[in-house]
Amino acid sequence: MSLLEVDNIAKHFPVKRGLFGTDYVRAVDGVSFDVAVGETVALVGESGCGKSTVGRLILRLIEASAGAVRFAGHDLYRLGGDEMRVMRRRLQIVFQDPYASLNPRMTVGQMLEEPLALHALVPPNKRRGRVVELLELVGMNAQHAQRYPHEFSGGQRQRIGIARALAVEPQLIVCDEPVSALDVSIQAQVINLLRDLQQGLGLSYLFIAHDLAVVKHIANRVAVMYLGKIVELAETEALFNTPRHPYTQALLSAIPVPVPHSARHRTLLQGDLPSPLNPPSGCAFHPRCPHAIEICQTTAPVLEQAADSLGGHAVSCHRWREIVGPPRPPAAAPSGKTALERLQEAFQHN
Ligand code: SF4
């Protein structure tokens, strides 16, 4: 059952052109997906592709230009201010920057008590106890409640951010690049923590990241975004083993492989992400795509699921069948393990 349904949502930011004209930055341009109860869906793409804007649109931190967001059967864009405030308790966000997202003037205990008081979730005499429970839930302890954010490492601050999100007992957490600012070894710890919390509490996550290697360990499904649109959406294993969109293939080829001198083909993308103010005609990826042909410049492909696709594998590319070729078994490494298994192993060792 879907907990969250995002239906054709768009965000076009107006920008002045000349004295009287207005142009629009199409930051998000018709994005649809859903998240089931207990599921993690990852949104992945380069900086500027619109993935963080989607997260903010879902929480109504910014208002959508078009489309709808339904959460637990409620159309969020039809809720009034008070109703939305109540709903936000069930929808939380963990931000990318653990340094900037915590109030430097409050102790950790005060920060965690604040939402408990605001939403009247716990009586005053039981709040200290609940703060300790929350800290222990994220691998910290009661002594940490007395300290200020500057006294913690980046990984600990992100744990505090997660504890603060958990304080209001949410059903869905938007994790907006939660590990991008952390060292690789700490990234694995935070991802393992999020996964354990999900299993223990039945949470759903929308996990936003620019690095496909990071989402592989936690996501059930992955949506790849390019210039405000989803270009491929599939179950994680299918996306990593048989990527169909040339952009997904390029992102995957950039993931470092922990096997020295292993033969691999790296697809280097030419140029930068085009401006969403003036996106290319046809398929927006065509100026950078090594497979582009004439139709790609004139006709935009639609995101569609092939009739023979299992697990809802959808792709928006005119030529994906030619590019992927006939079905074949997943490539095995010299050790006999697939790329997915090798990366999972690397995470488990951290
Ligand atoms: Fe490349 Fe054309 Fe497919 Fe776009 S539609 S990804 S340009 S082959």
Side-chain angles (χ1 to χ4, degrees):
M1 191 189 84
S2 290
L3 178 65
L4 176 76
E5 290 171 67
V6 177
D7 185 6
N8 215 14
I9 202 160
K11 181 65 186 175
H12 301 162
F13 293 101
V15 285
K16 285 262 174 244
R17 180 171 50 84
L19 265 186
F20 305 107
T22 305
D23 278 338
Y24 289 90
V25 175
R26 295 169 171 269
V28 176
D29 202 14
V31 164
S32 302
F33 63 91
D34 65 330
V35 182
V37 174
E39 186 185 31
T40 299
V41 172
L43 265 188
V44 180
E46 287 167 284
S47 295
C49 72
K51 55 193 187 301
S52 290
T53 306
V54 171
R56 282 161 174 73
L57 289 170
I58 289 168
L59 282 106
R60 283 187 67 187
L61 299 178
I62 51 176
E63 296 290 310
S65 310
V69 178
R70 283 179 285 281
F71 177 75
H74 300 272
D75 187 337
L76 296 188
Y77 277 84
R78 289 183 187 272
L79 298 182
D82 290 342
E83 292 169 308
M84 190 60 212
R85 261 189 292 283
V86 172
M87 192 58 71
R88 282 223 178 86
R89 185 170 86 70
R90 299 163 70 182
L91 277 161
Q92 286 290 300
I93 186 165
V94 172
F95 291 102
Q96 172 182 3
D97 187 350
Y99 296 89
S101 62
L102 302 177
N103 186 336
R105 293 190 191 85
M106 292 172 87
T107 65
V108 169
Q110 288 168 335
M111 264 185 274
L112 295 181
E113 272 192 49
E114 192 178 47
L116 300 178
L118 198 68
H119 293 279
L121 291 172
V122 180
N125 61 341
K126 297 206 168 136
R127 283 183 200 149
R128 287 277 159 85
R130 180 68 181 139
V131 165
V132 174
E133 278 173 21
L134 286 165
L135 286 169
E136 288 173 351
L137 206 54
V138 298
M140 300 179 79
N141 61 50
Q143 282 75 46
H144 290 132
Q146 314 304 324
R147 300 194 197 159
Y148 288 87
H150 73 269
E151 298 176 67
F152 294 98
S153 67
Q156 286 174 316
R157 290 188 215 207
Q158 199 55 291
R159 285 172 189 268
I160 295 163
I162 294 167
R164 194 177 51 179
L166 293 175
V168 291
E169 299 163 23
Q171 290 171 280
L172 182 133
I173 300 180
V174 174
C175 302
D176 186 5
E177 303 250 20
V179 297
S180 303
L182 306 176
D183 291 342
V184 174
S185 60
I186 309 296
Q187 286 184 359
Q189 289 173 15
V190 172
I191 286 181
N192 287 338
L193 169 67
L194 286 169
R195 207 179 49 166
D196 293 346
L197 290 170
Q198 181 173 46
Q199 283 165 4
L201 304 173
L203 296 166
S204 303
Y205 294 137
L206 175 64
F207 196 98
I208 297 168
H210 63 266
D211 186 351
L212 267 170
V214 165
V215 306
K216 181 172 328 134
H217 193 56
I218 191 166
N220 302 104
R221 286 185 295 145
V222 180
V224 178
M225 279 189 75
Y226 188 80
L227 217 62
K229 294 178 191 284
I230 291 177
V231 296
E232 186 162 5
L233 173 60
E235 288 179 356
T236 306
E237 193 161 348
L239 189 113
F240 277 82
N241 287 335
T242 52
R244 291 178 175 175
H245 197 282
Y247 180 58
T248 312
Q249 292 172 350
L251 291 181
L252 280 172
S253 79
I255 297 176
V257 176
V259 180
H261 312 302
S262 66
R264 65 200 303 259
H265 176 67
R266 171 97 197 259
T267 307
L268 284 174
L269 288 177
Q270 305 296 316
D272 294 325
L273 194 69
S275 167
L277 187 59
N278 185 22
S281 60
C283 171
F285 187 57
H286 85 256
R288 305 171 79 190
C289 180
H291 306 283
I293 54 174
E294 204 175 328
I295 188 178
C296 305
Q297 297 176 27
T298 55
T299 310
V302 290
L303 183 72
E304 57 187 3
Q305 186 187 332
D308 56 351
S309 286
L310 296 174
H313 196 154
V315 62
S316 127
C317 172
H318 295 303
R319 303 190 67 200
W320 73 266
R321 284 184 192 280
E322 296 162 68
I323 293 165
V324 172
R328 54 188 160 76
S335 63
K337 291 175 178 147
T338 64
L340 180 64
E341 286 165 345
R342 291 200 309 278
L343 267 148
Q344 282 171 338
E345 205 173 61
F347 266 98
Q348 273 150 14
H349 287 158
N350 278 302

